[in-house]
Amino acid sequence: VPHPLYRPTKNKLVPCVDQLCTSLHGGLSKNHKCDSPKQQCDYEVKYADQGSSLGVLVNDSFAVRLANASVVRPSLAFGCGYDQEVGSSTEVAPTDGVLGLGSGSISLLSQFKQHGITKNVVGHCLSMRGGGFLFFGDNLVPYSRATWVPMARSAFRNYYSPGSASLYFGGRSLGVRPMEVVLDSGSSFTYFSAQPYQALVTALKGDLSKTLKEVSDPSLPLCWKGKKPFKSVLDVKKEFKSLVLNFANGKKALMEIPPENYLIVTKYGNACLGILNGSEIGLKDLNIVGDITMQDQMVIYDNERGQIGWIRAPCDRIPKFGSSLL
């Protein structure tokens, strides 16, 4: 994005022998060796869509405003990328960077915790109307009202996973084997592996309202048109049923996915399925719940208690500190 470039001075470089560099490489490739003590900490990160960033780990101080209006200035380590490759995602938005909020020790979240600034908790609330908010620490967490499941130590490395779920459509089971689910705020769409994807498509087509016709649209693989072009998902949601993910880990832990959390209205006025076949892009058996499905839900990743929570919320209203959003 066209901003002045950040130029770190020599003393900001994290040395290769630093603990931060060791934990960064532990999360990436496992082989970490330093030729000299003064050597810088290089990294390369590759993403599933073939996007990548090559750079060097640096340390700099940030002004962080807390909810009680005080400001702290921690020194935080982050990647300064000098060679970026854009991934193959359909529409490339100009990007300033990628924020690492995982449970690893190098993540921004873990660094906040180490500095005693916030608890190791992060959450987001993305609004259907655009915008939303991201929060660190547990001040805004509605512990008693949210649906909680234990974090599954995913077979898929360090992803945030609520474990395996069965899939329901319009109140009945789609009869697919339990799906390994990962929540990924870095993915715009939701991806199901081949079996649940096919079962969902079959159920949608079998349940289609008479007023809708399947139509080809360059935006997405499966789309429908109505008698006149749709202006928003609200025009079409009553023609579709809700999906439900029922997580085995929690006590009656359901994630309801109403039509507005899986449909997209394109610029051509068609309604398209915003759940894609992950097997086609090499995701194997992984099922990714992306931003479309997390809209207007507060989603909380609580690394202190090892749990993930969600609750419907008006994400276009930024909460005031000390008051309850919900």
Side-chain angles (χ1 to χ4, degrees), residues 130-194:
F133 59 90
L134 175 72
F135 62 90
F136 300 98
D138 60 354
N139 299 78
L140 296 173
V141 177
Y143 277 107
S144 59
R145 291 194 301 290
T147 298
W148 294 98
V149 292
M151 281 181 191
R153 274 293 145 240
S154 156
F156 303 98
R157 298 209 317 272
N158 303 324
Y159 302 140
Y160 285 122
S161 170
S164 66
S166 359
L167 182 62
Y168 293 78
F169 176 73
R172 59 183 190 87
S173 166
L174 287 185
V176 294
R177 65 172 179 269
M179 304 157 58
E180 274 301 318
V181 175
V182 159
L183 303 186
D184 181 16
S185 61
S187 174
S188 303
F189 298 114
T190 287
Y191 294 86
F192 284 176
S193 58

Side-chain angles (χ1 to χ4, degrees), residues 124-132 260-261 291-299 311-317 326:
H124 53 71
C125 205
L126 306 166
S127 171
M128 294 255 174
R129 288 161 291 286
E260 56 269 38
N261 282 112
D291 294 330
I292 178 176
T293 302
M294 296 194 278
Q295 287 181 121
D296 282 337
Q297 296 199 75
M298 182 194 269
V299 180
I311 184 171
R312 285 265 146 208
C315 296
D316 52 350
R317 296 215 296 272
L326 304 162

